[in-house]
């Protein structure tokens, strides 16, 4: 099978890494990719938002499967364009991707499917914003209705800050009640009818240790969750994932691809914080690190409507931890163009238990996001090209060992002004050790 992956972040690098290890994949391509993805796939310069260009590239490559990674191309209808030329594509249609593209649409679907979620108001005027903020009180939760690269949500006790964010969103904004309790990310692969859940993970949205600082696209993740109820996945399947897929099919907009449920485990039970229409980043890095079943066949079965025929997924017992290295001044106005050193040291000294997935990188002299000539010959200097630059991922017998390996590998990498959290999976690892898990 020839596979084409669309995107250029750490999520796509994790997908490409797993696909490169799949014996069913005979040729692997990525567009536009990045400096790290170039080591496992052939890169092609393409505008990921241009459905016609992506479909044309897939046709030229004679791809047997296209995987659309990021949310913006999905909301732009790129998966539709690929399917229109007769090539199987993993990713929802433009209409179904509105589950992530519009918080208001997602709330409407959840209401129709009777999915438990936070009470909310959709506001379009300053008066409605003030009324909603007053109704819920602090801490205030304000969400941009549209795509915001994981940074469109403000949770704050400060009324003025909440109101300012709501007004800055423009158009529609969703204001909802605050949900207490730990957060969990659960992915499910679906063909529009059958739903196949993956293993849960937890990510860290805040920029700084102890969950302080501004919201980001995610600064790290871990899996499994030793503190979670063993029945959690079954409960979420029954109350959230299957009802949502059924509701979208009932509406005539079947969802085929990756359905991501961001959940809060509250004192009143599981509640949905948000839906995404694609693999989450950085949770994908740890979930795929634990998946034993070859990936390509699963995604192709979803794209072709054959998930029900697949045997159950198999998983490694290992734990996995990912720590994100971000640029100076991320998430505000990150600095780019800084050289990255130490990547070869990680590969030589820490593999295969620890490895680096590239998020925002490019080779010196290449266009941002990579190009067709970015080969795996090691030539050129790798430079930072985004806010989140690298995801250092490691596996181990438990979270403590996986953490140690991830941070040891991270210590070999040198990027001027970079930042990372030092507490990814720390509380969970300590609790598991104390409980003897």
């Amino acid at each position: 099978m020839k596979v084409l992956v669309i995107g250029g972040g750490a999520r796509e690098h994790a997908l490409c890494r797993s696909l490169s290890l799949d014996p069913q994949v005979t040729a692997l391509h990525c567009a536009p990719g990045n400096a790290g993805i170039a080591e496992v796939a052939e890169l092609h310069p393409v505008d990921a938002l241009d459905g016609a260009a992506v479909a044309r590239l897939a046709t030229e490559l004679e791809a047997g499967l296209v995987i659309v990674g990021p949310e913006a191309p999905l909301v732009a209808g790129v998966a539709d364009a690929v399917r229109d030329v007769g090539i199987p594509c993993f990713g929802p249609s433009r209409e179904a991707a509105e589950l992530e593209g519009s918080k208001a649409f997602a709330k409407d679907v959840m209401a129709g499917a009777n999915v438990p979620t936070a009470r909310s108001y959709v506001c379009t005027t300053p008066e409605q914003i003030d009324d909603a903020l007053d109704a819920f009180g602090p801490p205030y939760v304000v969400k941009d209705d549209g795509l915001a690269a994981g940074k469109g949500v403000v949770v704050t006790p400060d009324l003025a800050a909440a109101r300012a964010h709501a007004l800055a969103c423009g158009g529609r904004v969703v204001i909802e009640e605050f949900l207490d309790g730990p957060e969990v990310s659960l992915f499910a692969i679906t063909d529009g009818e059958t739903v196949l859940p993956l293993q849960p993970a937890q990510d860290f949205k805040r920029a700084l240790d102890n969950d302080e600082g501004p919201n980001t696209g995610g600064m790290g993740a871990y899996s499994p969750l030793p503190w979670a109820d063993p029945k959690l996945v079954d409960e979420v399947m029954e109350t959230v994932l299957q009802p949502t897929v059924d509701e979208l099919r009932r509406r005539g907009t079947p969802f085929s691809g990756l359905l991501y449920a961001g959940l809060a485990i509250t004192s009143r039970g599981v509640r949905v914080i948000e839906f995404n229409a694609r693999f989450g980043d950085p949770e994908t890095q740890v979930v795929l690190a634990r998946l034993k079943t070859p990936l390509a066949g699963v995604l192709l079965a979803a794209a072709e409507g054959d998930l029900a025929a697949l045997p159950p997924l198999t998983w490694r017992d290992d734990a996995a931890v990912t720590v994100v290295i971000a640029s100076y001044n991320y998430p505000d106005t990150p600095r780019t163009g800084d050289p990255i050193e130490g990547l070869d040291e990680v590969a030589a000294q820490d593999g295969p238990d620890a490895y680096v997935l590239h998020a925002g990188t490019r080779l010196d002299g290449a266009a941002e996001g990579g190009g067709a000539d970015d080969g795996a010959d090691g030539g050129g200097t790798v430079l930072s090209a985004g806010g989140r630059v690298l995801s250092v991922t490691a596996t181990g017998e438990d979270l403590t060992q996986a953490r140690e390996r991830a941070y040891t590998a991270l210590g070999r990498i040198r990027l001027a002004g970079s930042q990372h959290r030092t507490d990814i999976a720390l509380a969970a690892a300590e609790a598991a050790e104390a409980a003897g898990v």
Side-chain angles (χ1 to χ4, degrees):
M1 187 195 314
K2 296 180 180 178
V3 180
L4 170 63
V5 176
I6 303 302
R11 164 187 45 235
E12 287 75 38
H13 194 176
L15 288 165
C16 285
R17 180 181 183 274
S18 291
L19 291 165
S20 72
L21 300 173
D22 187 337
Q24 193 176 356
V25 177
T26 55
L28 182 58
H29 303 267
C30 187
N34 61 40
I37 296 174
E39 297 178 5
V40 295
E42 181 180 349
L43 302 193
H44 304 268
V46 74
D47 180 357
L49 296 175
D50 187 338
V54 171
R56 187 162 53 248
L57 175 63
T59 301
E60 291 170 357
L61 295 174
E62 298 181 335
L65 174 65
V66 175
I67 302 164
V68 181
E71 61 272 24
L74 291 168
V75 172
V78 169
D80 302 275
V82 173
R83 280 189 281 265
D84 284 347
V85 296
I87 297 175
C89 184
F90 183 81
S93 66
R94 180 202 306 265
E95 289 182 324
E98 277 298 288
L99 199 63
E100 178 171 2
S102 168
K103 304 293 191 301
F105 176 74
K107 287 290 187 182
D108 188 60
V109 170
M110 283 187 269
N114 198 29
V115 167
T117 186
R119 293 179 297 122
S120 64
Y121 294 101
V122 178
C123 306
T124 57
T125 68
E127 293 76 20
Q128 290 175 342
I129 289 170
D130 289 339
D131 288 345
L133 292 171
D134 183 61
F136 288 130
Y140 304 99
V141 181
V142 182
K143 298 181 176 182
D144 191 325
D145 180 58
L147 296 178
K151 298 184 284 291
V153 179
V154 163
V155 181
T156 177
D158 187 330
L159 176 60
R163 188 174 191 273
H165 181 74
L167 293 173
C169 288
R172 290 195 300 184
V173 62
V174 176
I175 296 174
E176 62 184 40
E177 67 174 327
F178 175 75
L179 297 175
D180 64 325
E183 296 185 12
V184 174
S185 300
L186 184 60
F187 302 163
I189 294 171
T190 178
D191 57 10
E193 292 191 23
T194 301
V195 180
L196 193 64
L198 305 186
Q199 290 291 303
Q202 185 175 65
D203 77 330
F204 295 76
K205 291 295 187 191
R206 298 286 187 171
L208 308 176
D209 285 1
N210 303 313
D211 290 327
E212 297 179 354
N215 261 351
T216 72
M219 295 298 290
Y222 70 93
S223 179
L225 312 182
W227 50 267
D229 188 329
K231 299 178 182 177
L232 175 64
V233 173
D234 290 340
E235 178 185 352
V236 175
M237 269 290 294
E238 181 179 345
T239 64
V240 175
L241 297 172
Q242 192 70 57
T244 299
V245 170
D246 292 345
E247 172 68 11
L248 285 166
R249 188 174 67 252
R250 185 189 68 79
R251 292 177 176 223
T253 56
F255 188 105
S256 172
L258 195 289
L259 178 58
Y260 167 125
L263 310 164
I265 313 302
T266 77
S267 56
R268 295 173 292 152
V270 174
R271 298 288 185 272
V272 175
I273 301 170
E274 65 175 352
F275 282 126
N276 289 339
R278 38 74 192 181
F279 280 101
D281 184 350
E283 299 97 321
T284 299
Q285 288 86 301
V286 292
V287 172
L288 292 186
R290 300 186 58 226
L291 180 64
K292 186 182 294 186
T293 300
L295 184 62
V298 180
L299 302 189
L300 180 63
E304 294 185 332
D306 294 331
L307 267 186
L310 285 186
L313 298 178
T314 57
W315 297 90
R316 297 182 178 88
D317 292 332
D318 288 353
V321 171
T322 282
V323 184
V324 170
I325 299 177
S327 293
Y328 173 78
N329 206 37
Y330 176 78
D332 295 326
T333 307
R335 188 175 73 197
T336 61
D338 290 316
I340 303 167
E341 300 177 335
L343 298 174
D344 291 343
E345 297 172 33
V346 174
Q349 300 183 49
D350 301 291
D353 298 317
Y355 48 88
V356 179
L357 299 170
H358 291 230
T361 66
R362 64 179 177 87
L363 285 176
D364 192 12
E368 297 244 346
D373 295 328
D374 290 0
D377 58 4
T381 301
V382 178
L383 304 178
S384 62
R388 292 185 295 172
V389 181
L390 303 168
S391 286
V392 182
T393 302
T395 56
E397 292 183 0
D398 53 26
L399 287 176
T400 296
Q401 186 179 61
R403 265 181 52 81
E404 290 172 352
R405 288 173 172 173
Y407 280 105
T408 296
L410 184 148
R412 306 188 200 281
I413 297 172
R414 298 172 294 281
L415 172 62
S418 66
Q419 56 180 313
H420 66 272
R421 284 184 58 158
T422 66
D423 63 346
I424 302 300
L426 178 59
E430 291 178 342
E433 281 193 332
V437 178

